[in-house]
Amino acid sequence: NWNDLEVNDIELTAHGLRFKDGIMYGTAESLSFKERTGFNCHFMSGDTRVGRGKTIVENLIIQDDFSDLTLPLYMMSYTGVKDFNDFISKVKLDAEIYPSVLDFRTLTFFAPQLEGNNLKATVSGIMSGYVDNFEVKDININSHAGGFSTTLNGKMKGIPEVYDMWIDCRLSNLKFTPGGLGRFISEWIPEGSLDWNNYGKNCRFSGWASARGYLNRLNVNTSLKSTDGGLTADAQLAEIINPKKPITVTGKVKTEQLNLGKIINNDIIGPTSVSAGAQISIDKSMTIDLDSLRVYQMMLNDYNYRDIQARGRIDSKSMNGTVISKDPNLNFIFQGGYARSDKSQNTVYKFN
């Protein structure tokens, strides 16, 4: 809370203090302090100029309990001191970041909405704008958990109102392993984790991804390639931050010679080319409404199946659908389903 700061244990060593033409100059050789929220600044230094609506710090170094940041330039622009009463929307920030260690536990002190995020990464790039409406350019991210790196460009507005947060960003130079992606996603999840370390141990993907929309209704696109095939996806994620409603994922995905067997460690399955459109609802269980599934080719148990189509609905207790196969060695039409009773533990199959 910028309007209610309580700073203690301040230790400062500075020199070169002077005032000229309405501007205060000075160099902080060493500054340390503690803020009552728990933010502990172990070391801060920089060349500072304050006046005429700007606070400019060059060669800024900040070290706290979690992060170690180096900023060649950090600047705040404002019309007057009163702007700090509405810091997030009236004080413009500009920053250049050299490769630095950023731990999101540091950001939590300034944006409590990030509490539970354990991301720690080496970052660099440029940031400009207000806390509630800013832009980032060429932010290079290399996760310390390993197996994930990318370059981020984009805009975000609406902070700190989570449901009003709007983003428009693109991840280029995206590189990850399945295990690394699982670790990266897990760092954003307050509870639980995704352990994908046993999947695709030698698979490395590269490509790009983009996201646009409100945080609770986000459009996501991606294109990925690897030596084991590739995929493209176009999806909308809804209710991902609303605990009172199920998460829904609606979209399309297409694979090109993607070796699913190598990814899931199953030698029976080989390169696969499919396209699918579906809506997935995730609550206490998962429901899949499969609008369309087309198998162009799928290597299964050393045979390359082709020209198979399907659609239907699957949940934890039942499945209903239609499968049409025109493969020369698997020519059939199936329509039916099954339902399972929790009381009797019996399964009833129905074929049409």
Side-chain angles (χ1 to χ4, degrees), residues 54-281:
K54 293 185 184 297
T55 296
I56 302 172
V57 185
E58 295 178 310
N59 304 316
L60 176 62
I61 297 175
I62 304 174
Q63 298 171 351
D64 70 352
D65 290 339
F66 311 109
S67 301
D68 188 348
L69 303 172
T70 300
L71 289 77
L73 173 67
Y74 175 75
M75 179 169 66
M76 295 186 292
S77 304
Y78 39 88
T79 59
V81 177
K82 289 183 179 180
D83 285 352
F84 284 84
N85 293 328
D86 189 9
F87 182 86
I88 66 172
S89 60
K90 290 188 177 180
V91 177
K92 184 175 182 290
L93 307 176
D94 290 277
E96 297 177 12
I97 308 171
Y98 271 8
S100 301
V101 176
L102 174 63
D103 191 311
F104 269 50
R105 287 176 291 181
T106 294
L107 298 182
T108 299
F109 292 109
F110 307 95
Q113 295 81 6
L114 295 173
E115 187 173 358
N117 189 313
N118 296 311
L119 178 62
K120 186 174 185 179
T122 297
V123 300
S124 64
I126 298 173
M127 177 267 184
S128 180
Y130 302 87
V131 173
D132 64 354
N133 187 359
F134 66 89
E135 180 177 4
V136 294
K137 297 180 180 179
D138 297 331
I139 299 292
N140 296 308
I141 303 170
N142 195 334
S143 173
H144 280 206
F148 184 93
S149 64
T150 189
T151 300
L152 170 66
N153 285 274
K155 300 178 180 180
M156 176 178 285
K157 61 182 180 180
I159 295 174
E161 301 301 328
V162 177
Y163 286 95
D164 292 332
M165 286 176 60
W166 183 89
I167 66 174
D168 184 1
C169 68
R170 181 180 176 89
L171 302 177
S172 58
N173 300 320
L174 179 59
K175 299 178 182 180
F176 64 87
T177 63
L181 179 62
R183 289 189 294 273
F184 181 79
I185 295 174
S186 297
E187 289 170 331
W188 292 81
I189 302 174
E191 297 180 2
S193 63
L194 299 176
D195 186 1
W196 293 350
N197 292 319
N198 292 324
Y199 297 112
K201 292 183 177 180
N202 297 316
C203 297
R204 283 167 172 74
F205 290 89
S206 63
W208 61 268
S210 65
R212 191 173 193 272
Y214 289 99
L215 193 59
N216 206 41
R217 196 169 187 84
L218 199 59
N219 295 306
V220 179
N221 300 278
T222 187
S223 177
L224 302 170
K225 294 182 179 180
S226 77
T227 56
D228 300 298
L231 68 86
T232 58
D234 181 358
Q236 184 182 81
L237 311 180
E239 309 299 348
I240 57 177
I241 61 173
N242 188 346
K244 297 181 180 180
K245 293 185 178 181
I247 297 173
T248 60
V249 182
T250 306
K252 299 178 180 179
V253 63
K254 184 175 182 179
T255 68
E256 293 286 347
Q257 292 291 308
L258 185 63
N259 194 329
L260 294 176
K262 189 171 181 180
I263 295 173
I264 65 174
N265 300 322
N266 189 326
D267 294 336
I268 294 177
I269 306 175
T272 302
S273 297
V274 304
S275 63
Q279 181 179 83
I280 302 172
S281 178

